[in-house]
Amino acid sequence: MPPPAVKPKPPQKLEFTMNSLRNTTLSTGDDSMYFEIVTRFWHSNLTKINKFDMETRELVTVAEIEGLQSGQTRVRFGGDKGQWLTAAEFLKYDSDRVGGTFQANGDVEYRWKTHHGRFQLVKSDDPEKKAVAEFHPHKRHFFVFRMSKHAFFEVQPIPEIVEAIDKFIGTLRFCEI
């Protein structure tokens, strides 16, 4: 009798707590991935993306985005030790398409696109254009009342995207879903 087929890992669900990308939390059900996106009212031109480190039990700043209101947008990864990049250096916008491309860890390039009305992240060199992450919008009761389902990202359990999740979340603020 042949051994049982190995079942692929299910995609992870990064759920938004709020509808605003300025102040929200993205987390999985077991909090193995927990990100906080914060724009303070006294620093309305600076957005910080913090990640919860499970080993040290503290929030670590993984990215900062500055100048979204002034038009001189720049981003920094790696906290205070990182260097600032302009938005044009980090995210190359496509003039004829929605979204843009960005370079992640290990020189892997990803592209934001829309497919059947859904916002997706795909590898640029993938011939099948299979989504690595897909956005699912929130749903409301009768389209106006409280949310019946929070918005979430369905992220495939691919090691490259798990390593580049900081940059993936950092580009969300630029693309403004």
Side-chain angles (χ1 to χ4, degrees):
M1 181 183 249
V6 177
K7 199 173 190 181
K9 286 184 178 180
Q12 292 186 339
K13 185 177 174 181
L14 275 172
E15 190 169 332
F16 288 84
T17 56
M18 305 291 285
N19 289 336
S20 168
L21 279 180
R22 290 177 178 259
N23 294 304
T24 190
T25 302
L26 280 155
S27 64
T28 56
D30 61 352
D31 286 339
S32 60
M33 282 195 277
Y34 183 91
F35 292 91
E36 183 180 78
I37 302 172
V38 180
T39 305
R40 309 266 187 231
F41 73 89
W42 58 86
H43 287 291
S44 61
N45 210 25
L46 179 69
T47 300
K48 289 189 176 193
I49 300 171
N50 302 315
K51 180 180 181 180
F52 184 70
D53 188 3
M54 296 296 265
E55 292 178 12
T56 61
R57 299 279 193 214
E58 61 183 26
L59 286 172
V60 178
T61 301
V62 293
E64 294 175 294
I65 302 169
E66 184 180 69
L68 286 169
Q69 294 177 346
S70 66
Q72 304 289 334
T73 310
R74 58 188 194 149
V75 64
R76 173 170 65 178
F77 288 95
D80 294 334
K81 296 175 182 85
Q83 69 179 36
W84 288 100
L85 298 170
T86 64
E89 291 173 343
F90 174 62
L91 186 66
K92 277 87 175 161
Y93 291 102
D94 296 332
S95 60
D96 58 334
R97 299 180 183 167
V98 175
T101 60
F102 69 97
Q103 194 114 18
N105 303 344
D107 296 334
V108 179
E109 193 171 87
Y110 292 98
R111 182 170 66 88
W112 285 108
K113 71 172 197 156
T114 55
H115 184 68
H116 296 296
R118 290 254 168 100
F119 204 54
Q120 296 179 341
L121 182 70
V122 296
K123 277 186 168 180
S124 292
D125 60 349
D126 186 16
E128 296 177 13
K129 302 294 183 203
K130 186 177 176 190
V132 178
E134 185 173 1
F135 178 73
H136 297 268
H138 69 279
K139 293 184 180 174
R140 294 187 181 273
H141 294 287
F142 301 109
F143 302 106
V144 291
F145 296 118
R146 295 180 61 186
M147 280 191 288
S148 63
K149 189 175 181 182
H150 285 276
F152 67 93
F153 263 105
E154 188 176 349
V155 181
Q156 300 300 322
I158 301 170
E160 299 97 34
I161 193 64
V162 174
E163 291 173 11
I165 198 87
D166 303 341
K167 291 191 177 181
F168 155 63
I169 292 174
T171 57
L172 289 179
R173 191 72 175 95
F174 286 115
C175 293
E176 293 285 336
I177 299 169

